[in-house]
Amino acid sequence: MSGEDTQAVVELLPSLKEELGQSAHGVSDENLVKFLNWKPSVDRAADRYKSHVKWRKENPFAFETKPLRAGDDAELKRVLESDTLIAPDDLVDKEGSAVMLGRLRHNDMTDGRTVEDVCRMIIYTIDRVLERETAQIHGITLFHDLTGITTKNVDKKIPKILLGAIINHFPIRIKAVYILNAPTFFRIIFSVIQYLMPKKIRSRFNFISDIKEVYKVIDQDQLLEEHGGKRKHNSVEWVAAQIKRETDGTMVSLKECLVPSA
């Protein structure tokens, strides 16, 4: 985003606050800008903000029932550390889109984690990614490596909940999704849940069997070593860094967008 574009978004802030009124009281400019970066239109940003708040009220498990803070929720911390989904701070595609990398083989649904636990882990990770201007401006690219997954790693209720959350309710732009080595049973599940998505989103899904297809959109060196890159990632260290940010006040979470009733 150019300096002029950034200034244009900042200039829209007062109008967005006026449009949202009391519902945005106490919400930081940093969070409101996420909605304007999603769509630099006061009307559309306000509608998305209101939709986000409505979804939150209808689904308090995400942020409200238990604080969406890894330092206050041992199960959230454990599932975040399991390497099911990672989002290294500097991992972007060739056009600047933030990259999230999933490896569902690490998502063991028999180890005590629940559907809501997994959804909270994913929402927490999205919340962190949306703090980054790269994600706000250029969107998010998802790369899911399904090598080695079995039926114990998936639950069809998870994508249903997440799609209901992300589509039309979060200030998020899904630029592209690359799914590597999807087994037949996963393709069957996808054939059903795909109709929960708008056609525009469905068109951005790419099922691939060769990692070289990913190299076309993400520099190979940026990827994990297991994918032919040079990156090493320690989820325990990443989670510890986020917990530090939770306590030192540097984290800008969408949690504050739902203002408690007086």
Side-chain angles (χ1 to χ4, degrees):
M1 178 179 278
S2 69
E4 290 182 358
D5 290 336
T6 300
Q7 183 60 32
V9 166
V10 171
E11 290 175 356
L12 290 174
L13 263 176
S15 296
L16 179 61
K17 291 179 180 179
E18 182 178 359
E19 175 67 24
L20 294 174
Q22 187 62 28
S23 66
H25 179 72
V27 178
S28 66
D29 288 355
E30 290 90 342
N31 266 320
L32 294 177
V33 162
K34 294 173 186 175
F35 291 85
L36 287 169
N37 278 332
W38 169 74
K39 283 291 184 294
S41 157
V42 170
D43 289 342
R44 295 195 65 182
D47 285 346
R48 180 54 56 97
Y49 181 94
K50 293 171 184 176
S51 294
H52 176 74
V53 170
K54 182 176 184 292
W55 183 87
R56 292 268 297 277
K57 289 178 177 178
E58 295 171 348
N59 298 273
F61 80 90
F63 288 84
E64 278 68 50
T65 303
K66 293 186 291 185
L68 194 66
R69 292 167 57 94
D72 297 329
D73 185 339
E75 186 63 3
L76 173 61
K77 178 175 181 288
R78 182 178 78 88
V79 180
L80 281 165
E81 291 175 344
S82 71
D83 278 337
T84 300
L85 180 68
I86 67 171
D89 296 347
D90 62 341
L91 181 54
V92 297
D93 74 3
K94 293 180 179 180
E95 296 180 352
S97 168
V99 174
M100 299 174 66
L101 168 61
R103 290 169 292 172
L104 277 179
R105 65 182 178 273
H106 297 306
N107 185 49
D108 185 354
M109 296 300 296
T110 69
D111 72 355
R113 70 186 66 189
T114 67
V115 166
E116 288 192 354
D117 291 332
V118 176
C119 289
R120 279 168 54 82
M121 175 272 292
I122 295 171
I123 291 171
Y124 182 96
T125 307
I126 291 172
D127 196 26
R128 301 288 68 72
V129 173
L130 286 177
E131 292 184 90
R132 307 171 195 167
E133 190 175 57
T134 53
Q136 295 174 34
I137 304 303
H138 301 292
I140 295 175
T141 294
L142 302 174
F143 167 34
H144 284 288
D145 178 2
L146 300 189
T147 302
I149 72 164
T150 67
T151 54
K152 78 171 187 177
N153 302 125
V154 299
D155 188 309
K156 63 184 179 181
K157 293 189 289 292
I158 294 172
K160 287 182 179 180
I161 291 173
L162 289 172
L163 289 171
I166 294 169
I167 296 175
N168 298 327
H169 299 115
F170 276 64
I172 183 172
R173 283 188 276 173
I174 303 299
K175 180 185 173 189
V177 182
Y178 294 87
I179 300 178
L180 177 67
N181 295 332
T184 300
F185 79 85
F186 182 89
R187 289 176 180 267
I188 292 172
I189 293 173
F190 182 82
S191 70
V192 176
I193 65 171
Q194 67 173 320
Y195 295 107
L196 298 174
M197 312 175 207
K199 184 178 180 180
K200 180 173 66 174
I201 298 297
R202 293 202 303 268
S203 70
R204 297 173 186 171
F205 276 73
N206 304 274
F207 283 82
I208 59 176
S209 58
D210 188 340
I211 188 64
K212 291 180 181 178
E213 293 298 311
V214 176
Y215 298 164
K216 294 177 182 178
V217 293
I218 305 171
D219 284 332
Q220 180 177 347
D221 287 353
Q222 285 242 39
L223 294 169
L224 295 172
E225 291 179 336
E226 68 185 77
H227 296 126
K230 297 181 179 180
R231 181 180 298 275
K232 296 180 180 180
H233 179 79
N234 186 313
S235 288
V236 173
E237 292 179 356
W238 184 86
V239 173
Q242 306 319 307
I243 291 174
K244 182 177 184 299
R245 296 182 61 230
E246 291 171 358
T247 57
D248 67 16
T250 59
M251 183 173 286
V252 184
S253 173
L254 287 170
K255 173 175 173 51
E256 70 177 28
C257 293
L258 180 54
V259 180
S261 300

